[in-house]
């Protein structure tokens, strides 16, 4: 019996479609994973490394080796100070702490601002607490106090500390879920505030999904302001970040000063059991070898400069450096005179801040780990007009078009940031 060529072609096309669908589902899974506290690209055509941009999403970066993309125009906030009614005389105080790194800080700040605004309470300037005992700092050690207070002027009253007559022991502890809603405040927070007068707020994270929703709320603009318009680095920290970025660009002369930032931390990979590989299951993390192969297969040259969020060099990263010799951690590129303060111990809040802002400003960001760091770096990059976020995958074969791996948050424009910026 002869072979029908049309059936063969149809079979190949069907198999290809299922492979593409499988990769799409895996990237969506990366965006929506659940995590506890301590996509498909439309209107984009790709021909190898040449990206044709139709909807303002991405543009090719001319003259550089590899599948680099140009920044898009920095977005402008959709919220306006004129949309906020004037604040009344404050009725009590809301206190809270920023904890566990900047990826949590932005969400914790947004919830605190929303709650204080709704309760017409004064917001007390938070302290900053790391995950390690003793890693406690003042707000001004990392963030700009004056810019923070100015950003909330006319929205929420901010005070630097509680009045002397109010004891910390008198504060009622209240927990709220990330992206707290008006209904939750009315049902679970307001009654306690009316009874006690002052509260200590803590945000918990039932999930790390930062997709925008279709439901509109009266607190949306306040939440956007709290998340994207309040926290700026103080001068010394900002200078260290800028100097490290400049050093990375200097090391990247052959790629026109462009570099990749990869969120890859060995201790987290070990906890998530990322040693294995496979193409048949959705993955939440990728090890050094998998990242190296992914970057090569989507077209990045071996001379590409890579920044890793790993604190200090680990032998397990050598496989990545073997393929991309210009792979660096903080200890390689930080100014020598700053290492004593900023690298005092692994995993400090200062280290996490440096990682967050370098990943937000790099030319390409690759999250080897799913979670809130990826989600909130994505939000920061979208606001800055830097949508070049590639979600890794185990790619069959020897090469693939880079745009097939653009983060769903960007490809589908479904990140919360797209609700806050225009």
């Amino acid at each position: 019996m002869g072979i029908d060529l049309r059936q063969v072609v149809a079979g190949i096309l069907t198999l290809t479609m299922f492979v593409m669908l499988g990769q799409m589902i895996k990237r969506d899974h990366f965006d929506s994973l659940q995590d506890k506290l301590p996509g498909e690209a439309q209107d984009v055509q790709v021909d190898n490394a040449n990206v044709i941009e139709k909807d303002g999403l991405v543009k090719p970066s001319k003259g550089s080796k590899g599948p680099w993309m140009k920044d898009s125009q920095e977005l402008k906030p959709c919220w306006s100070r004129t949309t906020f009614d004037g604040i009344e005389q404050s009725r009590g105080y809301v206190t809270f702490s920023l904890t566990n790194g900047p990826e949590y800080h932005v969400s914790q700040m947004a919830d605190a601002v929303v709650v204080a605004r709704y309760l017409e309470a004064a917001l007390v300037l938070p302290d900053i607490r790391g995950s390690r005992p003793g890693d406690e700092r003042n707000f001004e050690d990392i963030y700009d106090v004056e810019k923070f207070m100015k950003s909330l002027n006319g929205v929420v009253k901010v005070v630097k500390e509680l009045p002397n007559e109010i004891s910390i022991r008198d504060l009622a502890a209240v927990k709220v879920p990330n992206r707290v809603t008006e209904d939750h405040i009315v049902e679970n927070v307001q009654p306690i505030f009316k009874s006690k007068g002052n509260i200590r707020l803590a945000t918990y994270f039932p999930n790390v999904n930062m997709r925008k929703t279709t439901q509109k709320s009266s607190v949306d603009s306040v939440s956007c302001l709290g998340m994207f318009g309040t926290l700026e680095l103080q001068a010394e920290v900002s200078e260290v970040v800028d100097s490290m970025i400049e050093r990375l660009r200097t090391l990247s002369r052959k790629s026109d000063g462009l570099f990749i930032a990869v969120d890859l931390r060995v201790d987290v990979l070990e906890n998530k059991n990322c040693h294995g590989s496979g193409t048949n299951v959705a993955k939440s993390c990728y090890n050094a070898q998998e990242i190296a192969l992914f970057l090569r297969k989507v077209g990045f040259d071996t001379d590409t400069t890579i920044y890793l969020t790993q604190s200090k060099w680990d032998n397990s990263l050598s496989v990545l450096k073997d393929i991309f010799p210009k792979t660096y951690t903080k200890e390689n590129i930080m100014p020598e005179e700053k290492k004593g303060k900023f690298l005092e111990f692994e995993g400090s809040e200062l280290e996490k801040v440096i990682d967050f802002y370098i990943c937000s400003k790099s030319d390409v960001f690759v999250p080897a780990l799913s979670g809130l760091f990826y989600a909130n770096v994505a939000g920061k990059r979208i606001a800055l007009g830097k949508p070049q976020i590639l979600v890794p995958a185990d790619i069959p074969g020897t090469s693939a078009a880079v745009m097939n791996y653009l983060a769903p948050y960007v490809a589908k424009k479904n990140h919360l940031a797209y609700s806050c910026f225009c």
Side-chain angles (χ1 to χ4, degrees):
M1 183 174 63
I3 298 175
D4 190 333
L5 183 60
R6 289 174 298 178
Q7 290 181 337
V8 174
V9 173
I12 293 173
L13 290 174
T14 301
L15 178 61
T16 302
M17 180 185 69
F18 277 112
V19 171
M20 292 177 64
L21 179 61
Q23 293 292 349
M24 188 188 307
I25 292 171
K26 290 174 189 175
R27 294 198 303 280
D28 275 337
H29 177 78
F30 203 86
D31 278 8
S32 62
L33 282 164
Q34 304 290 301
D35 199 9
K36 300 294 183 181
L37 179 67
E40 63 192 313
Q42 298 179 355
D43 297 328
V44 178
Q45 298 176 4
V46 179
D47 179 15
N48 294 328
N50 298 317
V51 181
I52 303 172
E53 177 263 343
K54 284 189 174 182
D55 64 354
L57 194 61
V58 292
K59 295 181 181 179
S61 184
K62 296 179 181 179
S64 59
K65 294 192 297 182
W68 301 96
M69 296 166 278
K70 284 185 178 180
D71 293 346
S72 58
Q73 187 174 3
E74 186 170 341
L75 302 181
K76 295 182 179 180
C78 295
W79 72 86
S80 169
R81 198 164 293 278
T82 58
T83 63
F84 300 120
D85 297 328
I87 56 175
E88 303 291 335
Q89 181 68 30
S90 61
R91 307 171 182 176
Y93 296 87
V94 172
T95 70
F96 69 111
S97 294
L98 298 176
T99 63
N100 298 302
E103 68 270 33
Y104 288 91
H105 296 177
V106 293
S107 294
Q108 291 162 343
M109 181 59 71
D111 291 329
V113 171
V114 166
V115 170
R117 168 76 180 182
Y118 191 88
L119 298 177
E120 298 180 350
L123 190 65
V124 181
L125 192 71
D127 61 349
I128 299 174
R129 302 182 183 186
S131 55
R132 290 193 176 194
D135 187 11
E136 299 182 8
R137 304 175 191 276
N138 295 322
F139 185 88
E140 59 266 26
D141 292 338
I142 293 179
Y143 297 112
D144 189 312
V145 175
E146 299 309 316
K147 288 183 178 179
F148 170 70
M149 298 184 74
K150 184 178 180 180
S151 70
L152 292 176
N153 185 33
V155 181
V156 173
K157 180 181 178 180
V158 179
V159 297
K160 292 187 175 181
E161 55 187 17
L162 279 171
N164 292 331
E165 62 269 20
I166 299 178
S167 170
I168 296 178
R169 291 175 295 182
D170 296 331
L171 301 175
V174 177
K175 291 185 177 182
V176 297
N178 178 36
R179 300 173 69 175
V180 63
T181 63
E182 184 176 355
D183 288 343
H184 185 92
I185 296 173
V186 170
E187 295 174 10
N188 301 284
V189 182
Q190 194 171 43
I192 298 174
F193 182 73
K194 287 183 176 180
S195 173
K196 299 293 185 179
N198 306 289
I199 60 174
R200 178 160 182 80
L201 199 68
T203 296
Y204 66 93
F205 294 79
N207 64 71
V208 294
N209 178 13
M210 295 302 291
R211 291 175 182 169
K212 64 182 180 181
T213 64
T214 56
Q215 295 178 328
K216 299 297 182 181
S217 168
S218 61
V219 302
D220 287 348
S221 293
V222 180
S223 180
C224 286
L225 170 63
M227 178 168 285
F228 296 107
T230 57
L231 295 176
E232 292 190 31
L233 298 179
Q234 53 100 316
E236 183 185 10
V237 180
S238 181
E239 288 171 6
V240 170
V241 170
D242 290 344
S243 69
M244 293 173 69
I245 290 175
E246 184 60 31
R247 174 64 175 154
L248 288 164
R249 297 206 183 285
T250 301
L251 293 166
S252 308
R253 291 192 188 95
K254 291 186 179 180
S255 56
D256 296 334
L258 305 175
F259 73 95
I260 299 172
V262 179
D263 179 30
L264 193 160
R265 289 161 281 159
V266 174
D267 59 328
V268 180
L269 289 175
E270 291 175 346
N271 291 335
K272 286 195 173 188
N273 191 25
C274 295
H275 299 292
S277 63
T279 58
N280 297 323
V281 294
K283 296 181 65 172
S284 63
C285 47
Y286 293 83
N287 61 32
Q289 179 177 352
E290 292 167 328
I291 292 296
L293 292 175
F294 169 73
L295 292 175
R296 283 297 288 139
K297 288 183 178 183
V298 297
F300 286 102
D301 190 82
T302 56
D303 200 52
T304 300
T305 298
I306 297 176
Y307 172 80
L308 300 179
T309 56
Q310 169 71 15
S311 294
K312 294 182 180 180
W313 192 259
D314 186 271
N315 289 336
S316 65
L317 303 173
S318 296
V319 63
L320 177 58
K321 196 173 183 68
D322 288 343
I323 299 175
F324 294 95
K326 293 183 178 179
T327 298
Y328 304 100
T329 58
K330 284 177 281 295
E331 59 186 346
N332 303 125
I333 59 172
M334 182 178 288
E336 193 66 35
E337 67 275 11
K338 298 295 183 181
K339 290 182 180 179
K341 177 177 180 179
F342 286 83
L343 301 181
E344 54 186 336
F345 57 84
E346 290 188 31
S348 71
E349 291 296 283
L350 285 172
E351 276 200 26
K352 293 176 182 178
V353 165
I354 289 170
D355 289 335
F356 186 86
Y357 283 86
I358 291 180
C359 289
S360 297
K361 296 181 178 181
S362 63
D363 300 286
V364 172
F365 172 54
V366 178
L369 307 160
S370 66
L372 199 62
F373 187 95
Y374 157 55
N376 276 338
V377 166
K380 185 79 171 176
R381 292 183 66 93
I382 290 166
L384 293 174
K386 290 181 171 291
Q388 310 91 330
I389 307 168
L390 302 179
V391 172
D394 295 316
I395 301 174
T398 59
S399 64
V402 68
M403 286 302 296
N404 289 344
Y405 302 94
L406 191 66
Y409 277 140
V410 174
K412 295 182 176 182
K413 292 190 174 182
N414 64 6
H415 193 283
L416 172 65
Y418 287 110
S419 299
C420 296
F421 291 89
C422 305

